[in-house]
Amino acid sequence: MKTTCLCDTLWQDYARRLLCLGPVLSLLGAATPSPVIDQTREEPVIAVENGRWFNGSGFDAETFYIQSGLLESVRPSRVDSVLDLEGRYVIPPLGDAHTHNLDGEFGLTAVRDAYLAEGTFYVQVLTNTTTGAARVRSQFDGQCSLDVVYA
């Protein structure tokens, strides 16, 4: 079994969003959506160990498993690799519901990178100019990027 370093894996879009989205859905009592799964290709199963997961009022030491695009609490029969969180805390992703920072090209890269570094994955821009937003809109809502909505 291969052990995967946290720094090499955590910020990859797939694992990052699953690690953060799963706990928030379960806290809200929502069912985890089922993705469309390619049945001809076997996805790797990743054990996410030694994490302290937010439960709504505190943190629980838990191990979760990423299998077929879902975050599971029951250990599957096969585990291909381990992501060791080394006692780090896992919280739901953050969102910014009021910003004017992403409505043009000025400072765009620095602001985007700062959001991702702090764990903010969802942003609503109350834009001042539609032309500025139109120029930068294509840089969002993809892999390893922010999900941005313009009001």
Side-chain angles (χ1 to χ4, degrees):
M1 185 179 328
K2 178 182 171 193
T3 300
T4 305
C5 173
L6 173 66
C7 297
D8 294 338
T9 304
L10 187 58
W11 289 107
Q12 291 176 1
D13 190 63
Y14 182 73
R16 173 179 56 113
R17 291 180 190 253
L18 282 175
L19 288 173
C20 295
L21 187 56
V24 75
L25 290 174
S26 65
L27 289 173
L28 297 173
T32 304
S34 297
V36 176
I37 299 170
D38 179 359
Q39 298 294 334
T40 63
R41 193 178 107 210
E42 193 168 304
E43 298 281 334
V45 178
I46 303 169
V48 185
E49 298 179 344
N50 301 316
R52 295 181 179 142
W53 299 77
F54 186 64
N55 65 15
S57 62
F59 292 88
D60 293 330
E62 299 281 345
T63 296
F64 284 92
Y65 305 90
I66 300 172
Q67 181 177 17
S68 299
L70 301 175
L71 196 62
E72 305 281 347
S73 61
V74 177
R75 183 181 175 88
S77 60
R78 182 188 100 245
V79 173
D80 298 307
S81 64
V82 174
L83 173 61
D84 186 359
L85 296 181
E86 301 172 349
R88 290 182 173 92
Y89 294 85
V90 181
I91 63 170
L94 304 174
D96 183 345
H98 185 140
T99 187
H100 298 275
N101 291 326
L102 302 171
D103 63 354
E105 295 167 331
F106 179 77
L108 180 70
T109 302
V111 173
R112 180 198 61 218
D113 292 349
Y115 273 129
L116 292 173
E118 73 184 14
T120 300
F121 301 150
Y122 308 100
V123 178
Q124 177 174 295
V125 179
L126 304 176
T127 186
N128 293 324
T129 66
T130 56
T131 56
R135 283 195 297 266
V136 298
R137 188 183 307 258
S138 65
Q139 297 184 42
F140 303 111
D141 303 325
Q143 286 187 324
C144 299
S145 71
L146 291 172
D147 289 341
V148 178
V149 173
Y150 289 89

